[in-house]
Amino acid sequence: QVQLVESGGGLVQAGGSLRLSCAASQTPFSPFSRYGMGWFRQAPGKEREFVAGISWSSGSTYYADSAKGRFTISRDNAKNTMYLQMNSLKPEDTAVYYCAAGSSLYSGTDYYTDRMYDYWGQGTQVTVSS
């Protein structure tokens, strides 16, 4: 069982930056380093969409086209924490951002697919003003 808690959201002007964090609690049988991780977001009236993903070792990262070149995903397994550095933010980035953990993420397609994740955080609101 893994519990995930996001933080770092807020209100920022277009062109600004935010850094989201996802802190994971873990049990000895479910270490954080066992899981592939992802960030998703959901804007009002829209479906949840993939933003970025990272493998357990940080050896592989995946990004949605909308995030490439602006967002950077990273993780620190010693701190049980994942991050999303978001730069050059746009109003269309406004959404609730969720982190998720999956134990069976083996391909890029897996990371992009929300039903492949086992655990989800409660979300953090990001609002980008124009």
Side-chain angles (χ1 to χ4, degrees), residues 20-89:
L20 305 184
S21 298
C22 173
S25 64
Q26 61 181 18
T27 69
F29 302 102
S30 297
F32 178 68
S33 60
R34 172 184 174 187
Y35 294 90
M37 303 292 295
W39 286 99
F40 287 77
R41 67 186 183 186
Q42 187 167 21
K46 295 187 177 181
E47 293 187 353
R48 185 165 58 189
E49 64 176 3
F50 171 78
V51 177
I54 188 166
S55 64
W56 70 273
S57 66
S58 304
S60 297
T61 57
Y62 308 92
Y63 293 95
D65 288 342
S66 60
K68 288 178 182 177
R70 299 188 300 128
F71 294 1
T72 302
I73 190 171
S74 62
R75 66 188 292 168
D76 185 339
N77 287 344
K79 295 182 178 180
N80 297 339
T81 303
M82 175 179 67
Y83 306 96
L84 185 68
Q85 177 66 43
M86 304 188 294
N87 299 327
S88 302
L89 284 162

